Amino acid sequence: MAERIDYDVKPTPIGPTAREELDTLLETLHQRGVLRLANDMVGANDRILKVLVDGLSKDGSLNAIQNLSILGMALSRIEPAQFYKVVFAFQSAFGAVSGYKPDGKHDEAPGVTGAYKMLHDDDLWAALMPIIEGLKTFAGELDKEAEKPITAFSGKRTEQ
C-alpha cells in the first residue's frame, strides 16, 4: 500500500508581505525627508533640549503655561451644551453688530422722554437682564481670592 503524502497548500498571496510594506514605508519616509529630520533631531537632542528648557524657564513662558492650564480648568467646568449655546449666541450677536445699519430714527440721543419710554420697554429689559446678572456675578467673582494661589516654578517669586 502507498504511503500518504503530507502536502500543505500555501495560500495565494493577495497583497504585499509585511516586509514589503515596511520597505515601502521606509522608502517613503526617506523620500519625504522624515528620516533625515529624525536623525538630525536625535543627533542634536541635547542642543534642542537646552533651547526648550531656556525658553520655558523664562517668566513669560511660565506665565503662559500657567494661564493656559487655568483656561483649560475653567473650560473643563463648563458643560458642552452650555458652552455651545454661549458661543453661538456670541456669533449671532457679532453678526448683528457688524451688520447693523442705522435706520434714521435712532440717529439722535433719545432724550429724557425717549429714555423714559425705554425704561418701560419689556423687550429691552428682557435682553438686558441676563447681561446685568452676568456683570454682577463677574464683579462678585473679582472680589474673591483665588482658590489656589499660583507660585512660580523657579521659587523666585510668588503671585500676590
Side-chain angles (χ1 to χ4, degrees):
M1 187 169 203
E3 288 186 29
R4 182 176 185 155
I5 299 174
D6 287 330
Y7 179 71
D8 290 332
V9 178
K10 294 183 180 177
T12 305
I14 56 174
T17 64
R19 172 55 71 187
E20 292 169 343
E21 289 286 346
L22 183 61
D23 291 341
T24 304
L25 173 64
L26 191 60
E27 186 62 32
T28 303
L29 289 173
H30 173 69
Q31 289 173 357
R32 301 283 185 218
V34 175
L35 288 180
R36 185 177 310 122
L37 175 67
N39 281 330
D40 291 347
M41 287 182 71
V42 169
N45 76 357
D46 42 336
R47 289 182 298 219
I48 292 172
L49 191 59
K50 181 180 181 336
V51 168
L52 286 174
V53 168
D54 288 347
L56 291 176
S57 64
K58 294 185 183 333
D59 283 344
S61 300
L62 294 175
N63 287 342
I65 291 169
Q66 289 175 346
N67 290 343
L68 286 173
S69 68
I70 292 168
L71 185 60
M73 287 178 1
L75 285 173
S76 71
R77 294 179 182 176
I78 300 172
E79 291 294 324
Q82 182 184 15
F83 189 69
Y84 178 90
K85 188 176 178 180
V86 169
V87 167
F88 283 101
F90 271 123
Q91 179 192 20
S92 298
F94 288 138
V97 168
S98 66
Y100 177 74
K101 302 255 189 284
D103 56 3
K105 65 180 181 179
H106 293 99
D107 288 345
E108 297 177 7
V112 176
T113 57
Y116 181 74
K117 288 179 185 176
M118 286 173 51
L119 290 175
H120 296 290
D121 186 353
D122 291 338
D123 291 337
L124 177 64
W125 284 109
L128 287 177
M129 285 313 294
I131 295 170
I132 293 170
E133 285 299 316
L135 287 173
K136 289 193 306 191
T137 303
F138 180 76
E141 290 293 320
L142 288 177
D143 290 337
K144 290 183 180 178
E145 290 293 320
E147 290 178 14
K148 296 179 184 176
I150 300 170
T151 58
F153 294 120
S154 63
K156 295 179 188 174
R157 64 180 177 91
T158 57
E159 295 290 327
Q160 306 232 356

